[in-house]
Amino acid sequence: MAPTLRRRSLTVAVVTVGAAALMAAAPAYAAGVVDPAPIGPGQYFTGLVDNVSSQAVIKVVCPGPVVPGETGHPLAGQTVEALPAAASSASTAGYTGSAADRINVDFGATSTTAPVTLTHWAVQAAIPTSLLLPCSGSGTVVFVPAPASPTAQAATVVVDYANIAD
């Protein structure tokens, strides 16, 4: 093989291998697809309640006429999850900080069970039907990085509670 052709072949091979390595190293969510990768430190994220990050609705079963302050159990089949977010959305995103390897999802003061724990991106977890949530009104679901660190920042999703037994 001629020296010039050999150099071109080597250059093409190096560029091809380099491009393949860069694509393999790029986060899957950059292309719009999220692999269920483990949650780790130094990552921005967005919380989702039933696939939305704002104006989510949690359906609550509250038989009979609802009185103010009444609570009920969420309807089965509703979910929460966390997705990686771009650093450019830092003002609205959560941040796992320097230590987090999971995100605890807190449903507020009226809930009576332990938080849901997320350990992987893009893996939905069921909202426990054992929770006691308001039958109406609005509230927040807070996605809290754990373990906590001084640099961690929670993400909050505003939710409306809808009584499905109206």
Side-chain angles (χ1 to χ4, degrees), residues 38-115:
I39 293 170
Q43 298 173 319
Y44 289 95
F45 67 92
T46 300
L48 301 179
V49 175
D50 261 354
N51 300 312
V52 297
S53 61
S54 65
Q55 299 180 337
V57 175
I58 297 179
K59 297 173 187 124
V60 183
V61 179
C62 300
V66 175
V67 296
E70 187 175 357
T71 59
H73 297 283
L75 184 66
Q78 300 178 92
T79 62
V80 292
E81 71 181 298
L83 295 177
S88 62
S89 63
S91 64
T92 59
Y95 184 65
T96 56
S98 61
D101 61 3
R102 62 192 175 277
I103 296 171
N104 291 328
V105 184
D106 185 353
F107 292 88
T110 59
S111 65
T112 57
T113 61

